[in-house]
Amino acid sequence: MKETVTAALYAPSADFVRRAHVKGLDEWRVLFERAQNDPEGFWGELADKELYWFEKWSKVLDWSNPPFAKWFAGAKTNISYNCLDRHLDGPRKNKAAIIWEGEPGDQRILTYQDLHRFVCRFANVLKSRGFKAGDRAVIYMPMIPEAAIAMLACARLGIVHSVVFAGFSSEALKARIQDLEAGLVITADGGWRRGKEVKLKLTADEALAECPTVRDVIVYRRTGSEIPMMDGRDYWWHELDDTVGDHCPAEALDSEHPLYVLYTSGTTGKPKGILHTTGGYLLQCTMTMKWVFDIREEDAYWCSADIGWVTGHSYIVYGPLSIGATSVMYEGAPDTPRFDRWWRIIEKYRINVFYTSPTAIRALIRQGDHWPNEHDLSSLRLLGSVGEPINPAAWEWYHRVIGKGRCPIVDTWWQTETGSIMIAPMPGAVPLKPGSGTLPLPGIAADIVDMRGQPVAADREGFLVIRQPWPSMLRTIWGDPGRFKEQYWTRYPGVYFTGDAARRDADGYFWILGRVDDVMNVSGHRLSTMEIESALVRHPKVAEAAVVGKPHEITGQAVCCFVTLKKGDHDIDSLAQELRQWVAHEIGGFARPEEIRFTDTLPKTRSGKIMRRLLREIVTSHSVTGDVTTLEDLGVITKLAAQQEEE
Ligand code: 7RM
């Protein structure tokens, strides 16, 4: 990583700096030092200035019972109020809150006033069906405004929502509904993706057959296709909407009231339900919209993520609406009907700030520069990246071909667990280095440590940790506080363990190197090796499975499975297909393995643990150089490596 020292610096233009929220490194330093010297004073002042509170707090941070933090304890607020009501008595009343485009080309523009009315009406629907603060609702919807409306209506009443990405299978949906003991599922007949209907209601029905806690299913009509409705359980959104009024006050909720649970892959087969709460979460989402995306009142801002991932929660819905921005939302695939769909959207809505993932960038690079070049992208002022490290080549392309060399790129490091952005440049202040998230934001005590928790020297690799609580931190794992403690807070007591490796260069810039645990990152989506392994061994013909991430040009990593079979005659080729399909069915299409390799045995330690490290080496470097002293049978490795050579 010599490159980290000599890397070119990209400083913002004078014009960009002049109009930025944070202008130049000196202003950055003032904020950073203020936050460092008095974190509670710093966050308290911002909370006071930037958010609406029904009642103020007694203490900014209660860290008396680590790792269970309370931010703004005792204060009363409401996220839906902050995202909607407070914008209605000024010039934002008739400003576009959401500009939406469906994949078939349909379009809707919802002003703040419209969105407020829709949210109030749907909250009244939820109330009329008997749902109240503390209940859990699972949202399984396409990328349509009603997904955001459902989230905001739940938040208005204190109903804990859990959005399940529409690409998840019925099995994954079922596991989440069951873990939450949800009483309500909000879904749609279907959504559009690559010209085909994603049949959400049918998939939900499969899951619901084994979810006795669900009392009501509310179905939004999006595609208009025929779907079964179960009497006494299923209700059409539009029919319930006919029965309610426009007026629905936002509940004054405790700052620590649970807002949502979002499931993410961990190192075991069971996904973790990450819990976020109200006041602190909203504060950091709000501040990062200003600090990192540098949003101006007149901007059109577009985050291309799906609402089913944390990026969609914080940077399509809560962050942008809290600051009164215009958030653009697109339903479908980037290649439908052609590879220029995204550039068309940028041109059409004159997008100023665009936030996407390295995977998407790499996939679009491959289609050729003529697609973006056919469009006027001159409205763009700032570009963002999230989900995985962005390789310098993709960075340069994004900067040159999309940003025309004019637009800073904010490379934002954060996690489902952190709730909002933690390490990223403030674009009017911090010069960029391609591939680096640059510096931690004010109030974020990021550090890089060795096995014993000691800070490592410049340019040395170590574990990325966060030493102090931050407002949008996760509060627990739903139903499993023990796992919450164990996963994040025991390796270094009192310090948050991110699971990422990183290094810091001589300028203090952070370079994220990837996960140190058994979590893969495929297209910026987190997948656990264990989750896929457990899915594989549920198949009747599979004896054992080991899954590793294999470097992939476009998706960053691809899922590679080593499988041993039970005795019997097997048609290997068709079985490989069948297993790929099986995993897609058990987890979701995005988890479909790229590769299934059959083998007689897996490399194991003497105590019987599968040595995934060796398999990783085989798929990465095509040979094994690491320590094999605990390996039980060296023959296995030579065989597997030889098999690789043949390919
Ligand atoms: C927002 C999100 C989190 C994991 C994280 C990292 C990786 C995310 C970056 C990144 C390098 C980045 N949430 N990651 N952003 N690595 N540079 N800018 O992605 O929970 O789904 O994933 O993603 O490994 O731990 S997530």
Side-chain angles (χ1 to χ4, degrees), residues 419-493:
S420 54
I421 298 170
M422 303 287 279
I423 301 176
M426 294 193 184
V430 178
L432 311 172
K433 297 182 191 184
S436 169
T438 74
L439 305 169
L441 292 174
I444 305 305
D447 199 359
I448 299 172
V449 301
D450 64 17
M451 299 287 255
R452 285 165 305 132
Q454 297 304 311
V456 299
D459 282 321
R460 285 300 170 83
E461 186 172 327
F463 301 113
L464 178 63
V465 297
I466 314 291
R467 292 192 174 281
Q468 298 289 330
W470 62 99
S472 65
M473 66 197 281
L474 78 168
R475 297 303 195 265
T476 189
I477 293 176
W478 184 263
D480 203 347
R483 191 175 177 198
F484 167 63
K485 271 191 184 167
E486 196 270 322
Q487 287 260 299
Y488 303 108
W489 302 94
T490 44
R491 193 182 283 230
Y492 312 111

Side-chain angles (χ1 to χ4, degrees), residues 264 309-311 355 385-390 411-417 423 435 437 498-500 512-515 521 524-526:
T264 188
W309 308 111
V310 72
T311 306
Y355 189 31
S385 169
V386 63
E388 58 192 303
I390 179 164
D411 179 354
T412 62
W413 178 87
W414 58 296
Q415 308 176 299
T416 305
E417 291 87 341
I423 301 176
T498 65
D500 278 350
I512 310 296
L513 303 167
R515 304 288 306 185
N521 191 326
H525 298 152
R526 262 164 74 170

Side-chain angles (χ1 to χ4, degrees), residues 484-551:
F484 167 63
K485 271 191 184 167
E486 196 270 322
Q487 287 260 299
Y488 303 108
W489 302 94
T490 44
R491 193 182 283 230
Y492 312 111
V495 173
Y496 174 78
F497 178 70
T498 65
D500 278 350
R503 85 178 85 201
R504 189 168 26 193
D505 68 20
D507 297 329
Y509 278 43
F510 283 69
W511 299 77
I512 310 296
L513 303 167
R515 304 288 306 185
V516 294
D517 51 17
D518 289 323
V519 175
M520 292 171 291
N521 191 326
V522 178
S523 302
H525 298 152
R526 262 164 74 170
L527 280 174
S528 124
T529 55
M530 287 283 291
E531 216 175 324
I532 297 176
E533 286 167 11
S534 359
L536 282 167
V537 297
R538 282 198 293 270
H539 188 281
K541 290 182 182 158
V542 171
E544 233 183 351
V547 171
V548 295
K550 172 183 172 169

